[in-house]
Amino acid sequence: MRRLTEQILAHAKGLPEGTPVAAKSLLHLGNRAAVDQALSRLAERTQLIRAGRGVYVLPVTSRFGIRAPSVEQAVEALASQSGEIIVPSGAAAANILGLTTQVPVRSVYLTSGRTRKMSLGKQVVELRHAPRWQLAMAHRPAGEAVRALAWLGPEKAEAALQTLKRKLPPGAFSELVAVAPQLPTWLARSVGKAAHGGGDID
């Protein structure tokens, strides 16, 4: 029978790039203590990267050497594995939509799961639990707009909405208006104001 470390490595290599390997998903190979020990051993040998408590990822081997998987791939894989909604933070959304020129220094994502950190080599990804309304329309432009506006706050939201009205496809702006009732009062009010006469759609 193959050694536990070899079995775990074979399992990790069969997963899509960036997919986290959690100790509790390997209990069919051995008991928890043995699995934890084997994972630690693989991390010491740099055959796996410790991404968080009891969570590891397989490094990517390229012609430039060995590196950690990309943050995007790891986050996407984590979301499909855990069933959580995970989306870029409001700061990142505001940058993508051109509402700020500030590029977020840290990798921060909002999640329907618990707040925690994931290390990918030298990069630390912060996963922050967010209220349901901030995760609405997860990977759509209207959802990005909601997160960007939440990050900008009440003072800047109205001006930003005029920009969004011009920039977003008309369908996406209509989606934003449609979810307004689920948003906090200040944001719902700003969206309503922008929809009814505050500026024109190009």
Side-chain angles (χ1 to χ4, degrees), residues 142-202:
E144 278 182 350
V146 166
R147 286 182 287 285
L149 292 163
W151 177 75
L152 287 165
E155 294 75 30
K156 297 178 182 168
E158 287 189 23
L161 274 157
Q162 296 311 321
T163 306
L164 288 172
K165 206 168 176 182
R166 289 193 304 275
K167 282 191 168 185
L168 286 176
F173 193 79
S174 305
E175 265 187 87
L176 179 59
V177 174
V179 296
Q182 297 168 35
L183 305 177
T185 311
W186 67 267
L187 188 47
R189 196 179 289 136
S190 298
V191 170
K193 205 183 276 185
H196 300 106
D200 305 311
I201 293 179
D202 289 345

Side-chain angles (χ1 to χ4, degrees), residues 4-15 19-40 42 48 54-57 81:
L4 186 53
T5 48
E6 287 169 17
Q7 288 178 287
I8 290 173
L9 211 49
H11 169 82
K13 285 178 176 170
L15 299 168
T19 303
V21 180
K24 63 182 177 191
S25 67
L26 300 167
L27 298 179
H28 59 289
L29 298 175
N31 66 44
R32 183 66 194 247
V35 166
D36 282 340
Q37 215 171 354
L39 285 167
S40 292
L42 287 164
L48 285 180
V55 179
Y56 297 77
V57 288
Q81 190 186 61

Side-chain angles (χ1 to χ4, degrees), residues 8 26 44 47 80 84 94 111-112 122 145 159 169 179 189 196:
I8 290 173
L26 300 167
E44 275 165 33
Q47 288 174 289
S80 66
E84 291 171 54
T111 174
S112 58
K122 293 191 176 88
V179 296
R189 196 179 289 136
H196 300 106

Side-chain angles (χ1 to χ4, degrees), residues 20 71-72 74-89 108-114 116 118 125-128 130 134-135 138-139 147:
V71 169
E72 290 75 18
V75 166
E76 211 173 289
L78 177 65
S80 66
Q81 190 186 61
S82 63
E84 291 171 54
I85 297 169
I86 304 178
V87 290
S89 68
V108 180
Y109 285 79
L110 305 180
T111 174
S112 58
R114 61 190 171 82
R116 61 209 190 271
M118 190 163 77
V125 183
E126 217 177 302
L127 298 164
R128 286 186 196 157
Q134 283 194 33
L135 303 168
H139 300 286
R147 286 182 287 285

